[in-house]
Amino acid sequence: MKKVILFLLVFLMVGLVEAQTRKYAKKALIEFGPKANFYIGSVRLGLGAEFVVNPTRNIGVRIDFTEFSFGDGGTQFFFNLYPSDLSIDGLYYIRMQGIEPYIFGGFGLAANGSTNIAFRAGMGFNYPMTRNSSIFFEPGVIIYHNSYVDDTDLWFRLSMGAKFGLIR
C-alpha cells in the first residue's frame, strides 16, 4: 500500500510541475465529480464521487472515492481509502472541439474476507459547461469476479454526473 501511495504522490507532483509549465491549461489538474451509476446485469443504482488527476492534456487517472449502491444483493457502501479497497482507471482523452470523448480502462480490488476483482473498460463524453465544470456520460462494461462464491459476472454500467475543477 505504501508503494501505491508513493506512486500516486510522485504522479501528482509530476502533474503539478507539468501544469505550471502549461501556458493555457484546458483541463483542470484535479477534478472532483459527483455521479450516479446504473448497473445492468445485476440491477443496481449507485450514487458516488470520484477524483480525476489530469497530468497531461490527453491522459488522466480516475480514483472512485466513494459509492453507495442498492438493488440486487442488498445495500453496499464502498470507500476507496480503506487499505483493503482499490479502484483506479486510466483515461485517454481524444481532443476535439466542444464535446470531449475519452476511453477508459481500469480495475477494482476489494479484500474483505474474500477477494473481489473487477476489470472495467468503456468510453465517455465530457461536455464543458464553464471553464471549471463539465457534465459527463459514460457507458462501460465491468467483468466482476467474486472469489467467495467463485463466480464471474458481466455487468454494463451507465454513469453520468458532473466534474468540477479543483486545481488548475
PDB file of all heavy atoms in Angstrom, residues 91-128:
ATOM      1  N   LEU A  91      -7.545   7.155 -18.110  1.00  0.00           N
ATOM      2  CA  LEU A  91      -8.377   7.828 -19.102  1.00  0.00           C
ATOM      3  C   LEU A  91      -7.495   8.356 -20.225  1.00  0.00           C
ATOM      4  O   LEU A  91      -6.429   8.916 -19.965  1.00  0.00           O
ATOM      5  CB  LEU A  91      -9.126   9.015 -18.479  1.00  0.00           C
ATOM      6  CG  LEU A  91      -9.974   8.740 -17.249  1.00  0.00           C
ATOM      7  CD1 LEU A  91     -10.389  10.045 -16.600  1.00  0.00           C
ATOM      8  CD2 LEU A  91     -11.182   7.950 -17.620  1.00  0.00           C
ATOM      9  N   TYR A  92      -7.941   8.189 -21.457  1.00  0.00           N
ATOM     10  CA  TYR A  92      -7.251   8.773 -22.600  1.00  0.00           C
ATOM     11  C   TYR A  92      -8.249   9.679 -23.315  1.00  0.00           C
ATOM     12  O   TYR A  92      -9.239   9.211 -23.874  1.00  0.00           O
ATOM     13  CB  TYR A  92      -6.720   7.705 -23.552  1.00  0.00           C
ATOM     14  CG  TYR A  92      -6.026   8.302 -24.744  1.00  0.00           C
ATOM     15  CD1 TYR A  92      -4.757   8.858 -24.609  1.00  0.00           C
ATOM     16  CD2 TYR A  92      -6.644   8.354 -25.983  1.00  0.00           C
ATOM     17  CE1 TYR A  92      -4.128   9.438 -25.691  1.00  0.00           C
ATOM     18  CE2 TYR A  92      -6.020   8.928 -27.064  1.00  0.00           C
ATOM     19  CZ  TYR A  92      -4.764   9.469 -26.914  1.00  0.00           C
ATOM     20  OH  TYR A  92      -4.142  10.048 -27.983  1.00  0.00           O
ATOM     21  N   TYR A  93      -7.987  10.994 -23.280  1.00  0.00           N
ATOM     22  CA  TYR A  93      -8.883  11.978 -23.877  1.00  0.00           C
ATOM     23  C   TYR A  93      -8.571  12.137 -25.355  1.00  0.00           C
ATOM     24  O   TYR A  93      -7.414  12.260 -25.751  1.00  0.00           O
ATOM     25  CB  TYR A  93      -8.723  13.341 -23.194  1.00  0.00           C
ATOM     26  CG  TYR A  93      -9.054  13.312 -21.728  1.00  0.00           C
ATOM     27  CD1 TYR A  93      -8.046  13.340 -20.774  1.00  0.00           C
ATOM     28  CD2 TYR A  93     -10.367  13.247 -21.287  1.00  0.00           C
ATOM     29  CE1 TYR A  93      -8.335  13.312 -19.424  1.00  0.00           C
ATOM     30  CE2 TYR A  93     -10.669  13.215 -19.946  1.00  0.00           C
ATOM     31  CZ  TYR A  93      -9.649  13.252 -19.029  1.00  0.00           C
ATOM     32  OH  TYR A  93      -9.936  13.215 -17.687  1.00  0.00           O
ATOM     33  N   ILE A  94      -9.616  12.128 -26.161  1.00  0.00           N
ATOM     34  CA  ILE A  94      -9.483  12.358 -27.596  1.00  0.00           C
ATOM     35  C   ILE A  94      -9.817  13.824 -27.825  1.00  0.00           C
ATOM     36  O   ILE A  94     -10.932  14.266 -27.542  1.00  0.00           O
ATOM     37  CB  ILE A  94     -10.428  11.431 -28.384  1.00  0.00           C
ATOM     38  CG1 ILE A  94     -10.077   9.977 -28.065  1.00  0.00           C
ATOM     39  CG2 ILE A  94     -10.328  11.711 -29.876  1.00  0.00           C
ATOM     40  CD1 ILE A  94     -11.120   8.982 -28.479  1.00  0.00           C
ATOM     41  N   ARG A  95      -8.856  14.581 -28.319  1.00  0.00           N
ATOM     42  CA  ARG A  95      -9.030  16.035 -28.426  1.00  0.00           C
ATOM     43  C   ARG A  95      -9.966  16.383 -29.570  1.00  0.00           C
ATOM     44  O   ARG A  95      -9.746  16.012 -30.711  1.00  0.00           O
ATOM     45  CB  ARG A  95      -7.675  16.690 -28.611  1.00  0.00           C
ATOM     46  CG  ARG A  95      -6.816  16.479 -27.368  1.00  0.00           C
ATOM     47  CD  ARG A  95      -5.512  17.166 -27.422  1.00  0.00           C
ATOM     48  NE  ARG A  95      -5.673  18.582 -27.630  1.00  0.00           N
ATOM     49  CZ  ARG A  95      -4.703  19.376 -27.985  1.00  0.00           C
ATOM     50  NH1 ARG A  95      -3.495  18.907 -28.150  1.00  0.00           N
ATOM     51  NH2 ARG A  95      -4.906  20.650 -28.166  1.00  0.00           N
ATOM     52  N   MET A  96     -11.022  17.080 -29.212  1.00  0.00           N
ATOM     53  CA  MET A  96     -11.994  17.591 -30.171  1.00  0.00           C
ATOM     54  C   MET A  96     -12.497  18.930 -29.659  1.00  0.00           C
ATOM     55  O   MET A  96     -12.330  19.251 -28.486  1.00  0.00           O
ATOM     56  CB  MET A  96     -13.190  16.635 -30.310  1.00  0.00           C
ATOM     57  CG  MET A  96     -12.875  15.347 -31.012  1.00  0.00           C
ATOM     58  SD  MET A  96     -14.305  14.260 -31.127  1.00  0.00           S
ATOM     59  CE  MET A  96     -15.367  15.175 -32.196  1.00  0.00           C
ATOM     60  N   GLN A  97     -13.124  19.667 -30.529  1.00  0.00           N
ATOM     61  CA  GLN A  97     -13.711  20.934 -30.129  1.00  0.00           C
ATOM     62  C   GLN A  97     -15.109  20.688 -29.571  1.00  0.00           C
ATOM     63  O   GLN A  97     -15.844  19.874 -30.089  1.00  0.00           O
ATOM     64  CB  GLN A  97     -13.816  21.868 -31.328  1.00  0.00           C
ATOM     65  CG  GLN A  97     -13.968  23.286 -30.940  1.00  0.00           C
ATOM     66  CD  GLN A  97     -12.827  24.097 -31.489  1.00  0.00           C
ATOM     67  OE1 GLN A  97     -12.252  23.734 -32.475  1.00  0.00           O
ATOM     68  NE2 GLN A  97     -12.508  25.178 -30.840  1.00  0.00           N
ATOM     69  N   GLY A  98     -15.457  21.370 -28.511  1.00  0.00           N
ATOM     70  CA  GLY A  98     -16.783  21.221 -27.914  1.00  0.00           C
ATOM     71  C   GLY A  98     -16.846  20.014 -26.991  1.00  0.00           C
ATOM     72  O   GLY A  98     -16.331  20.033 -25.890  1.00  0.00           O
ATOM     73  N   ILE A  99     -17.448  18.936 -27.462  1.00  0.00           N
ATOM     74  CA  ILE A  99     -17.574  17.726 -26.659  1.00  0.00           C
ATOM     75  C   ILE A  99     -16.228  16.994 -26.636  1.00  0.00           C
ATOM     76  O   ILE A  99     -15.494  17.014 -27.611  1.00  0.00           O
ATOM     77  CB  ILE A  99     -18.699  16.832 -27.207  1.00  0.00           C
ATOM     78  CG1 ILE A  99     -19.061  15.774 -26.200  1.00  0.00           C
ATOM     79  CG2 ILE A  99     -18.333  16.231 -28.531  1.00  0.00           C
ATOM     80  CD1 ILE A  99     -20.374  15.096 -26.521  1.00  0.00           C
ATOM     81  N   GLU A 100     -15.894  16.392 -25.517  1.00  0.00           N
ATOM     82  CA  GLU A 100     -14.599  15.744 -25.369  1.00  0.00           C
ATOM     83  C   GLU A 100     -14.785  14.249 -25.091  1.00  0.00           C
ATOM     84  O   GLU A 100     -15.100  13.848 -23.982  1.00  0.00           O
ATOM     85  CB  GLU A 100     -13.836  16.384 -24.215  1.00  0.00           C
ATOM     86  CG  GLU A 100     -12.470  15.794 -24.007  1.00  0.00           C
ATOM     87  CD  GLU A 100     -11.770  16.445 -22.839  1.00  0.00           C
ATOM     88  OE1 GLU A 100     -12.386  16.546 -21.765  1.00  0.00           O
ATOM     89  OE2 GLU A 100     -10.614  16.838 -23.015  1.00  0.00           O
ATOM     90  N   PRO A 101     -14.610  13.391 -26.102  1.00  0.00           N
ATOM     91  CA  PRO A 101     -14.715  11.955 -25.862  1.00  0.00           C
ATOM     92  C   PRO A 101     -13.444  11.411 -25.205  1.00  0.00           C
ATOM     93  O   PRO A 101     -12.364  11.991 -25.341  1.00  0.00           O
ATOM     94  CB  PRO A 101     -14.902  11.373 -27.260  1.00  0.00           C
ATOM     95  CG  PRO A 101     -14.324  12.371 -28.182  1.00  0.00           C
ATOM     96  CD  PRO A 101     -14.433  13.712 -27.508  1.00  0.00           C
ATOM     97  N   TYR A 102     -13.580  10.308 -24.502  1.00  0.00           N
ATOM     98  CA  TYR A 102     -12.439   9.631 -23.904  1.00  0.00           C
ATOM     99  C   TYR A 102     -12.726   8.147 -23.799  1.00  0.00           C
ATOM    100  O   TYR A 102     -13.880   7.709 -23.838  1.00  0.00           O
ATOM    101  CB  TYR A 102     -12.092  10.207 -22.534  1.00  0.00           C
ATOM    102  CG  TYR A 102     -13.184  10.117 -21.499  1.00  0.00           C
ATOM    103  CD1 TYR A 102     -13.294   9.022 -20.658  1.00  0.00           C
ATOM    104  CD2 TYR A 102     -14.110  11.146 -21.351  1.00  0.00           C
ATOM    105  CE1 TYR A 102     -14.294   8.945 -19.708  1.00  0.00           C
ATOM    106  CE2 TYR A 102     -15.104  11.076 -20.409  1.00  0.00           C
ATOM    107  CZ  TYR A 102     -15.199   9.976 -19.584  1.00  0.00           C
ATOM    108  OH  TYR A 102     -16.196   9.896 -18.650  1.00  0.00           O
ATOM    109  N   ILE A 103     -11.664   7.370 -23.721  1.00  0.00           N
ATOM    110  CA  ILE A 103     -11.780   5.945 -23.460  1.00  0.00           C
ATOM    111  C   ILE A 103     -11.128   5.669 -22.111  1.00  0.00           C
ATOM    112  O   ILE A 103     -10.243   6.417 -21.679  1.00  0.00           O
ATOM    113  CB  ILE A 103     -11.146   5.084 -24.582  1.00  0.00           C
ATOM    114  CG1 ILE A 103      -9.689   5.443 -24.811  1.00  0.00           C
ATOM    115  CG2 ILE A 103     -11.928   5.208 -25.865  1.00  0.00           C
ATOM    116  CD1 ILE A 103      -8.976   4.558 -25.807  1.00  0.00           C
ATOM    117  N   PHE A 104     -11.595   4.632 -21.434  1.00  0.00           N
ATOM    118  CA  PHE A 104     -11.041   4.330 -20.125  1.00  0.00           C
ATOM    119  C   PHE A 104     -10.894   2.830 -19.944  1.00  0.00           C
ATOM    120  O   PHE A 104     -11.544   2.029 -20.607  1.00  0.00           O
ATOM    121  CB  PHE A 104     -11.905   4.923 -18.997  1.00  0.00           C
ATOM    122  CG  PHE A 104     -13.225   4.241 -18.803  1.00  0.00           C
ATOM    123  CD1 PHE A 104     -13.353   3.194 -17.907  1.00  0.00           C
ATOM    124  CD2 PHE A 104     -14.344   4.649 -19.512  1.00  0.00           C
ATOM    125  CE1 PHE A 104     -14.571   2.565 -17.726  1.00  0.00           C
ATOM    126  CE2 PHE A 104     -15.560   4.036 -19.338  1.00  0.00           C
ATOM    127  CZ  PHE A 104     -15.673   2.983 -18.437  1.00  0.00           C
ATOM    128  N   GLY A 105     -10.017   2.473 -19.052  1.00  0.00           N
ATOM    129  CA  GLY A 105      -9.819   1.088 -18.651  1.00  0.00           C
ATOM    130  C   GLY A 105      -9.224   1.088 -17.261  1.00  0.00           C
ATOM    131  O   GLY A 105      -8.470   1.988 -16.895  1.00  0.00           O
ATOM    132  N   GLY A 106      -9.581   0.088 -16.477  1.00  0.00           N
ATOM    133  CA  GLY A 106      -9.047   0.046 -15.123  1.00  0.00           C
ATOM    134  C   GLY A 106      -9.482  -1.195 -14.383  1.00  0.00           C
ATOM    135  O   GLY A 106     -10.027  -2.133 -14.968  1.00  0.00           O
ATOM    136  N   PHE A 107      -9.237  -1.172 -13.085  1.00  0.00           N
ATOM    137  CA  PHE A 107      -9.577  -2.330 -12.272  1.00  0.00           C
ATOM    138  C   PHE A 107      -9.961  -1.881 -10.872  1.00  0.00           C
ATOM    139  O   PHE A 107      -9.647  -0.780 -10.440  1.00  0.00           O
ATOM    140  CB  PHE A 107      -8.416  -3.321 -12.203  1.00  0.00           C
ATOM    141  CG  PHE A 107      -7.231  -2.829 -11.435  1.00  0.00           C
ATOM    142  CD1 PHE A 107      -7.084  -3.143 -10.091  1.00  0.00           C
ATOM    143  CD2 PHE A 107      -6.271  -2.059 -12.045  1.00  0.00           C
ATOM    144  CE1 PHE A 107      -6.002  -2.677  -9.375  1.00  0.00           C
ATOM    145  CE2 PHE A 107      -5.178  -1.596 -11.337  1.00  0.00           C
ATOM    146  CZ  PHE A 107      -5.044  -1.906  -9.999  1.00  0.00           C
ATOM    147  N   GLY A 108     -10.639  -2.768 -10.183  1.00  0.00           N
ATOM    148  CA  GLY A 108     -11.002  -2.559  -8.792  1.00  0.00           C
ATOM    149  C   GLY A 108     -10.678  -3.816  -8.012  1.00  0.00           C
ATOM    150  O   GLY A 108     -10.731  -4.929  -8.546  1.00  0.00           O
ATOM    151  N   LEU A 109     -10.318  -3.646  -6.764  1.00  0.00           N
ATOM    152  CA  LEU A 109      -9.951  -4.765  -5.909  1.00  0.00           C
ATOM    153  C   LEU A 109     -10.518  -4.514  -4.526  1.00  0.00           C
ATOM    154  O   LEU A 109     -10.365  -3.427  -3.981  1.00  0.00           O
ATOM    155  CB  LEU A 109      -8.426  -4.884  -5.839  1.00  0.00           C
ATOM    156  CG  LEU A 109      -7.834  -5.947  -4.937  1.00  0.00           C
ATOM    157  CD1 LEU A 109      -8.147  -7.325  -5.484  1.00  0.00           C
ATOM    158  CD2 LEU A 109      -6.338  -5.759  -4.834  1.00  0.00           C
ATOM    159  N   ALA A 110     -11.208  -5.511  -3.982  1.00  0.00           N
ATOM    160  CA  ALA A 110     -11.739  -5.417  -2.622  1.00  0.00           C
ATOM    161  C   ALA A 110     -11.409  -6.717  -1.906  1.00  0.00           C
ATOM    162  O   ALA A 110     -11.662  -7.801  -2.422  1.00  0.00           O
ATOM    163  CB  ALA A 110     -13.244  -5.193  -2.640  1.00  0.00           C
ATOM    164  N   ALA A 111     -10.811  -6.607  -0.738  1.00  0.00           N
ATOM    165  CA  ALA A 111     -10.430  -7.780   0.049  1.00  0.00           C
ATOM    166  C   ALA A 111     -11.052  -7.660   1.432  1.00  0.00           C
ATOM    167  O   ALA A 111     -10.450  -7.127   2.343  1.00  0.00           O
ATOM    168  CB  ALA A 111      -8.916  -7.884   0.142  1.00  0.00           C
ATOM    169  N   ASN A 112     -12.267  -8.141   1.556  1.00  0.00           N
ATOM    170  CA  ASN A 112     -12.957  -8.106   2.840  1.00  0.00           C
ATOM    171  C   ASN A 112     -13.485  -9.512   3.146  1.00  0.00           C
ATOM    172  O   ASN A 112     -14.651  -9.789   2.993  1.00  0.00           O
ATOM    173  CB  ASN A 112     -14.088  -7.074   2.845  1.00  0.00           C
ATOM    174  CG  ASN A 112     -14.982  -7.222   1.639  1.00  0.00           C
ATOM    175  OD1 ASN A 112     -14.785  -8.109   0.827  1.00  0.00           O
ATOM    176  ND2 ASN A 112     -15.966  -6.358   1.524  1.00  0.00           N
ATOM    177  N   GLY A 113     -12.610 -10.401   3.550  1.00  0.00           N
ATOM    178  CA  GLY A 113     -12.969 -11.791   3.791  1.00  0.00           C
ATOM    179  C   GLY A 113     -12.778 -12.650   2.555  1.00  0.00           C
ATOM    180  O   GLY A 113     -12.385 -13.794   2.634  1.00  0.00           O
ATOM    181  N   SER A 114     -13.073 -12.105   1.402  1.00  0.00           N
ATOM    182  CA  SER A 114     -12.800 -12.754   0.121  1.00  0.00           C
ATOM    183  C   SER A 114     -12.255 -11.686  -0.823  1.00  0.00           C
ATOM    184  O   SER A 114     -12.397 -10.498  -0.571  1.00  0.00           O
ATOM    185  CB  SER A 114     -14.072 -13.376  -0.452  1.00  0.00           C
ATOM    186  OG  SER A 114     -14.998 -12.376  -0.781  1.00  0.00           O
ATOM    187  N   THR A 115     -11.634 -12.111  -1.881  1.00  0.00           N
ATOM    188  CA  THR A 115     -11.057 -11.157  -2.827  1.00  0.00           C
ATOM    189  C   THR A 115     -11.996 -10.996  -4.012  1.00  0.00           C
ATOM    190  O   THR A 115     -12.333 -11.968  -4.673  1.00  0.00           O
ATOM    191  CB  THR A 115      -9.675 -11.638  -3.308  1.00  0.00           C
ATOM    192  OG1 THR A 115      -8.850 -11.834  -2.169  1.00  0.00           O
ATOM    193  CG2 THR A 115      -9.045 -10.629  -4.230  1.00  0.00           C
ATOM    194  N   ASN A 116     -12.412  -9.781  -4.263  1.00  0.00           N
ATOM    195  CA  ASN A 116     -13.266  -9.453  -5.398  1.00  0.00           C
ATOM    196  C   ASN A 116     -12.481  -8.575  -6.350  1.00  0.00           C
ATOM    197  O   ASN A 116     -11.902  -7.567  -5.944  1.00  0.00           O
ATOM    198  CB  ASN A 116     -14.528  -8.721  -4.941  1.00  0.00           C
ATOM    199  CG  ASN A 116     -15.304  -9.510  -3.911  1.00  0.00           C
ATOM    200  OD1 ASN A 116     -15.396 -10.729  -4.002  1.00  0.00           O
ATOM    201  ND2 ASN A 116     -15.844  -8.827  -2.931  1.00  0.00           N
ATOM    202  N   ILE A 117     -12.467  -8.957  -7.622  1.00  0.00           N
ATOM    203  CA  ILE A 117     -11.707  -8.229  -8.636  1.00  0.00           C
ATOM    204  C   ILE A 117     -12.668  -7.793  -9.734  1.00  0.00           C
ATOM    205  O   ILE A 117     -13.520  -8.570 -10.162  1.00  0.00           O
ATOM    206  CB  ILE A 117     -10.592  -9.106  -9.235  1.00  0.00           C
ATOM    207  CG1 ILE A 117      -9.629  -9.553  -8.145  1.00  0.00           C
ATOM    208  CG2 ILE A 117      -9.847  -8.364 -10.328  1.00  0.00           C
ATOM    209  CD1 ILE A 117      -8.625 -10.572  -8.607  1.00  0.00           C
ATOM    210  N   ALA A 118     -12.518  -6.563 -10.192  1.00  0.00           N
ATOM    211  CA  ALA A 118     -13.339  -6.044 -11.286  1.00  0.00           C
ATOM    212  C   ALA A 118     -12.429  -5.386 -12.315  1.00  0.00           C
ATOM    213  O   ALA A 118     -11.535  -4.615 -11.963  1.00  0.00           O
ATOM    214  CB  ALA A 118     -14.354  -5.038 -10.766  1.00  0.00           C
ATOM    215  N   PHE A 119     -12.635  -5.701 -13.574  1.00  0.00           N
ATOM    216  CA  PHE A 119     -11.955  -5.036 -14.685  1.00  0.00           C
ATOM    217  C   PHE A 119     -12.997  -4.233 -15.435  1.00  0.00           C
ATOM    218  O   PHE A 119     -14.075  -4.737 -15.748  1.00  0.00           O
ATOM    219  CB  PHE A 119     -11.296  -6.065 -15.610  1.00  0.00           C
ATOM    220  CG  PHE A 119     -10.191  -6.825 -14.951  1.00  0.00           C
ATOM    221  CD1 PHE A 119     -10.408  -8.095 -14.448  1.00  0.00           C
ATOM    222  CD2 PHE A 119      -8.934  -6.257 -14.814  1.00  0.00           C
ATOM    223  CE1 PHE A 119      -9.397  -8.795 -13.834  1.00  0.00           C
ATOM    224  CE2 PHE A 119      -7.916  -6.953 -14.199  1.00  0.00           C
ATOM    225  CZ  PHE A 119      -8.148  -8.221 -13.700  1.00  0.00           C
ATOM    226  N   ARG A 120     -12.669  -2.959 -15.740  1.00  0.00           N
ATOM    227  CA  ARG A 120     -13.612  -2.052 -16.378  1.00  0.00           C
ATOM    228  C   ARG A 120     -13.021  -1.477 -17.659  1.00  0.00           C
ATOM    229  O   ARG A 120     -11.821  -1.237 -17.747  1.00  0.00           O
ATOM    230  CB  ARG A 120     -13.943  -0.891 -15.432  1.00  0.00           C
ATOM    231  CG  ARG A 120     -14.604  -1.299 -14.169  1.00  0.00           C
ATOM    232  CD  ARG A 120     -14.959  -0.081 -13.341  1.00  0.00           C
ATOM    233  NE  ARG A 120     -13.787   0.603 -12.835  1.00  0.00           N
ATOM    234  CZ  ARG A 120     -13.188   0.309 -11.688  1.00  0.00           C
ATOM    235  NH1 ARG A 120     -13.629  -0.665 -10.949  1.00  0.00           N
ATOM    236  NH2 ARG A 120     -12.138   0.982 -11.292  1.00  0.00           N
ATOM    237  N   ALA A 121     -13.900  -1.223 -18.627  1.00  0.00           N
ATOM    238  CA  ALA A 121     -13.494  -0.561 -19.860  1.00  0.00           C
ATOM    239  C   ALA A 121     -14.723   0.083 -20.490  1.00  0.00           C
ATOM    240  O   ALA A 121     -15.852  -0.326 -20.222  1.00  0.00           O
ATOM    241  CB  ALA A 121     -12.866  -1.548 -20.828  1.00  0.00           C
ATOM    242  N   GLY A 122     -14.493   1.095 -21.295  1.00  0.00           N
ATOM    243  CA  GLY A 122     -15.593   1.757 -21.986  1.00  0.00           C
ATOM    244  C   GLY A 122     -15.166   3.094 -22.540  1.00  0.00           C
ATOM    245  O   GLY A 122     -13.971   3.354 -22.726  1.00  0.00           O
ATOM    246  N   MET A 123     -16.139   3.922 -22.803  1.00  0.00           N
ATOM    247  CA  MET A 123     -15.866   5.257 -23.312  1.00  0.00           C
ATOM    248  C   MET A 123     -16.817   6.243 -22.668  1.00  0.00           C
ATOM    249  O   MET A 123     -17.829   5.850 -22.086  1.00  0.00           O
ATOM    250  CB  MET A 123     -15.987   5.306 -24.829  1.00  0.00           C
ATOM    251  CG  MET A 123     -17.377   5.055 -25.345  1.00  0.00           C
ATOM    252  SD  MET A 123     -17.491   5.155 -27.130  1.00  0.00           S
ATOM    253  CE  MET A 123     -17.004   6.820 -27.420  1.00  0.00           C
ATOM    254  N   GLY A 124     -16.474   7.501 -22.751  1.00  0.00           N
ATOM    255  CA  GLY A 124     -17.312   8.522 -22.152  1.00  0.00           C
ATOM    256  C   GLY A 124     -17.197   9.827 -22.909  1.00  0.00           C
ATOM    257  O   GLY A 124     -16.370   9.975 -23.816  1.00  0.00           O
ATOM    258  N   PHE A 125     -18.034  10.777 -22.515  1.00  0.00           N
ATOM    259  CA  PHE A 125     -18.057  12.089 -23.140  1.00  0.00           C
ATOM    260  C   PHE A 125     -18.145  13.157 -22.070  1.00  0.00           C
ATOM    261  O   PHE A 125     -19.020  13.103 -21.211  1.00  0.00           O
ATOM    262  CB  PHE A 125     -19.273  12.220 -24.072  1.00  0.00           C
ATOM    263  CG  PHE A 125     -19.330  11.171 -25.136  1.00  0.00           C
ATOM    264  CD1 PHE A 125     -20.074  10.014 -24.950  1.00  0.00           C
ATOM    265  CD2 PHE A 125     -18.623  11.334 -26.307  1.00  0.00           C
ATOM    266  CE1 PHE A 125     -20.128   9.043 -25.924  1.00  0.00           C
ATOM    267  CE2 PHE A 125     -18.665  10.363 -27.297  1.00  0.00           C
ATOM    268  CZ  PHE A 125     -19.415   9.213 -27.102  1.00  0.00           C
ATOM    269  N   ASN A 126     -17.230  14.102 -22.097  1.00  0.00           N
ATOM    270  CA  ASN A 126     -17.295  15.296 -21.253  1.00  0.00           C
ATOM    271  C   ASN A 126     -17.871  16.425 -22.101  1.00  0.00           C
ATOM    272  O   ASN A 126     -17.444  16.635 -23.239  1.00  0.00           O
ATOM    273  CB  ASN A 126     -15.908  15.728 -20.770  1.00  0.00           C
ATOM    274  CG  ASN A 126     -15.366  14.828 -19.699  1.00  0.00           C
ATOM    275  OD1 ASN A 126     -16.105  14.203 -18.953  1.00  0.00           O
ATOM    276  ND2 ASN A 126     -14.050  14.759 -19.606  1.00  0.00           N
ATOM    277  N   TYR A 127     -18.798  17.156 -21.530  1.00  0.00           N
ATOM    278  CA  TYR A 127     -19.320  18.344 -22.200  1.00  0.00           C
ATOM    279  C   TYR A 127     -19.082  19.541 -21.298  1.00  0.00           C
ATOM    280  O   TYR A 127     -19.703  19.672 -20.246  1.00  0.00           O
ATOM    281  CB  TYR A 127     -20.812  18.192 -22.504  1.00  0.00           C
ATOM    282  CG  TYR A 127     -21.363  19.371 -23.252  1.00  0.00           C
ATOM    283  CD1 TYR A 127     -21.088  19.537 -24.609  1.00  0.00           C
ATOM    284  CD2 TYR A 127     -22.123  20.325 -22.611  1.00  0.00           C
ATOM    285  CE1 TYR A 127     -21.575  20.624 -25.293  1.00  0.00           C
ATOM    286  CE2 TYR A 127     -22.615  21.417 -23.288  1.00  0.00           C
ATOM    287  CZ  TYR A 127     -22.338  21.564 -24.631  1.00  0.00           C
ATOM    288  OH  TYR A 127     -22.806  22.648 -25.318  1.00  0.00           O
ATOM    289  N   PRO A 128     -18.127  20.426 -21.659  1.00  0.00           N
ATOM    290  CA  PRO A 128     -17.817  21.571 -20.797  1.00  0.00           C
ATOM    291  C   PRO A 128     -18.994  22.533 -20.686  1.00  0.00           C
ATOM    292  O   PRO A 128     -19.594  22.914 -21.676  1.00  0.00           O
ATOM    293  CB  PRO A 128     -16.639  22.245 -21.491  1.00  0.00           C
ATOM    294  CG  PRO A 128     -16.206  21.355 -22.584  1.00  0.00           C
ATOM    295  CD  PRO A 128     -17.301  20.376 -22.842  1.00  0.00           C
TER     296      PRO A 128
END
